Amino acid sequence: MLAFRRWLKEFTEFFFQKGNALNLAIAVVVGTQFQQIVDALTKDLLMPLVNPLIRNGGWEKWEIPYAGGQLLIGQALNVLLNSLIVGWVLFFIVKAINRSQRMASAGMDRLRAVQGGEAEV
């Protein structure tokens, strides 16, 4: 019983006091909103521009018949396009975060040099 209480105390500290549950909830909400933005970009902005170039309308309806069913090629291409857009945006976000961290680090190094009485280069 004592081990269970200790485990429960550790779990509540981890889950509630350190903000992990709140951070996870925020990440899920932001991720959901981000996916809705990407869906709107592909379905409402990019596809109306591409669809007139494709015979018989949109490529989301492309199917390849086979014995007993159909391969939904258009749906797979839609998921692929969404994934590429999400990956591209995340790449630029991470790149911007890394750049700002490097700039902040360089600024802190200069500040330490000035405070330490060293000449600034």
Side-chain angles (χ1 to χ4, degrees), residues 83-103:
S83 299
L84 288 173
I85 291 172
V86 168
W88 180 68
V89 170
L90 290 177
F91 170 74
F92 283 111
I93 289 172
V94 169
K95 199 171 162 109
I97 289 170
N98 289 341
R99 183 171 187 244
S100 67
Q101 287 176 342
R102 281 192 310 267
M103 290 173 62

Side-chain angles (χ1 to χ4, degrees), residues 13-76:
E13 286 175 1
F14 167 77
F15 195 73
F16 295 109
Q17 293 180 356
K18 294 183 180 176
N20 293 333
L22 180 60
N23 290 341
L24 179 60
I26 290 169
V28 168
V29 170
V30 169
T32 301
Q33 290 302 112
F34 186 66
Q35 185 60 47
Q36 289 177 353
I37 290 169
V38 170
D39 285 343
L41 281 174
T42 56
K43 292 177 182 172
D44 300 331
L45 187 64
L46 292 177
M47 289 305 100
L49 296 173
V50 174
N51 284 339
L53 304 174
I54 298 172
R55 191 173 49 155
N56 296 332
W59 57 273
E60 286 183 341
K61 297 175 185 170
W62 284 356
E63 299 172 346
I64 297 177
Y66 73 102
Q70 297 174 341
L71 297 174
L72 303 175
I73 300 298
Q75 295 295 329

Side-chain angles (χ1 to χ4, degrees), residues 4-21:
F4 177 74
R5 285 185 185 158
R6 188 175 335 138
W7 175 85
L8 185 61
K9 180 183 177 197
E10 288 177 19
F11 176 75
T12 55
E13 286 175 1
F14 167 77
F15 195 73
F16 295 109
Q17 293 180 356
K18 294 183 180 176
N20 293 333

